[in-house]
Amino acid sequence: MELKIYKDKNEVAQQFSDYFAELVKGKSNFHVALSGGSTPKIVFDVLASDYGDKIDWREIHFYWGDERCVAPTDDDSNYKMTLEHLFSKIEIPETNIHRILGENDPISEAMRYANLLEINLDRVEGTPQFDLVILGMGDDGHTASIFPHEIELWNAKDHCVVATHPDSGQKRVSINGEVINKAKEVAFLVTGSGKAEKVTAILEKGESYETYPASLVNPNSGKLIWFLDEDAASGLN
Ligand code: 6PG
């Protein structure tokens, strides 16, 4: 596990973009699962502005670790956020974008997406393997859309599951823990003081850290990087 702490979310965005550009350099058919929420917005902006014409996007296939069960035109859509902050600014073939159809029935969409991953990705012991999974973390310690009140979904046998947001009741489609931990590489993008308590609990194995789904991220490959800003890391000793 690598811990990278930077001054603020701008520097995190810069450093992550450099890391991503280096990771995909010379690769073909690179499969990456994106995180959603608000943290990736600035990262995608920097990736597009600094590497838009430097990365061969034809070799990169984009998926999502989770999606809100809303239409792709909805402001809550992770796909819409990524379209606005990244895809609309780069030359990427439509066929390289494999979005979760948030507008469809969650259960059948989870099955469809799991099937798509099983077809498109190489498999390790039957589990689809991403080249990179990018994750965020909520103030409650959730990651992808595996929330503390449904932590059993982490070990679900289906590679994609249907989850429920604890406050809004919004349905989500999410990859499970096995798909996350079978990835060749996993990178956390976590910024802001609201995350500090859970970051400290998870990285220092503090009180009830195991109840936070983000604590279960432990890729078999061992390649796990936490990109943090000083605010998110403010509780670390
Ligand atoms: C989502 C995410 C989720 C996100 C965290 C952090 O769809 O909401 O994938 O896991 O990464 O909730 O969200 P923020 O970046 O908005 O704090």
Side-chain angles (χ1 to χ4, degrees):
M1 193 274 281
E2 257 185 281
L3 191 52
K4 295 177 180 282
I5 303 172
Y6 300 105
K7 190 162 54 12
D8 56 25
K9 61 180 183 180
N10 299 308
E11 201 185 350
V12 167
Q14 189 59 63
Q15 295 291 337
F16 179 84
S17 298
D18 298 347
Y19 151 81
F20 184 81
E22 192 54 36
L23 186 63
V24 301
K25 197 184 281 178
K27 299 269 180 38
S28 60
N29 242 351
F30 189 93
H31 298 271
V32 53
L34 300 173
S35 58
S38 57
T39 303
K41 293 179 180 175
I42 184 174
V43 175
F44 294 158
D45 291 339
V46 172
L47 201 50
S49 60
D50 289 17
Y51 290 100
D53 56 2
K54 296 188 185 69
I55 290 177
D56 184 354
W57 301 102
R58 295 168 303 175
E59 294 300 341
I60 304 180
H61 285 262
F62 288 99
Y63 305 77
W64 280 263
D66 66 324
E67 180 61 284
R68 294 89 179 269
C69 295
V70 295
T73 52
D74 189 295
D75 288 343
D76 241 11
S77 163
N78 286 335
Y79 165 75
K80 183 170 184 257
M81 178 271 288
T82 313
L83 182 64
E84 287 170 357
H85 291 272
L86 181 61
F87 298 150
S88 58
K89 306 171 184 172
I90 61 175
E91 296 293 321
I92 177 121
E94 211 34 59
T95 48
N96 285 36
I97 300 172
H98 310 277
R99 76 178 177 89
I100 296 174
L101 307 181
E103 66 274 28
N104 288 357
D105 165 68
I107 294 172
S108 50
E109 180 53 18
M111 287 164 61
R112 183 197 73 87
Y113 207 65
N115 192 38
L116 175 107
L117 299 183
E118 289 150 13
I119 292 167
N120 287 12
L121 277 63
D122 294 340
R123 286 198 248 159
V124 175
E125 293 146 6
T127 302
Q129 182 179 53
F130 282 105
D131 295 293
L132 174 67
V133 170
I134 305 171
L135 294 172
M137 185 191 76
D139 296 6
D140 61 355
H142 82 261
T143 193
S145 275
I146 310 287
F147 296 95
H149 75 289
E150 291 176 327
I151 197 165
E152 70 282 356
L153 289 177
W154 185 268
N155 295 316
K157 68 172 178 29
D158 300 324
H159 293 132
C160 292
V161 295
V162 176
T164 308
H165 191 282
D167 307 329
S168 67
Q170 182 188 60
K171 290 295 179 191
R172 307 281 187 96
V173 170
S174 180
I175 55 178
N176 73 356
E178 195 182 356
V179 175
I180 291 172
N181 282 336
K182 280 276 181 3
K184 288 182 185 158
E185 197 145 330
V186 177
F188 267 115
L189 278 173
V190 178
T191 61
S193 55
K195 313 286 172 78
E197 182 193 304
K198 298 304 186 290
V199 165
T200 305
I202 290 168
L203 293 179
E204 298 183 353
K205 298 192 177 351
E207 198 196 327
S208 58
Y209 76 95
E210 311 96 325
T211 65
Y212 310 134
S215 73
L216 302 172
V217 178
N218 182 17
N220 303 7
S221 67
K223 290 200 171 167
L224 172 61
I225 307 174
W226 286 78
F227 286 84
L228 303 175
D229 67 357
E230 285 173 3
D231 284 349
S234 57
L236 294 174
N237 293 309

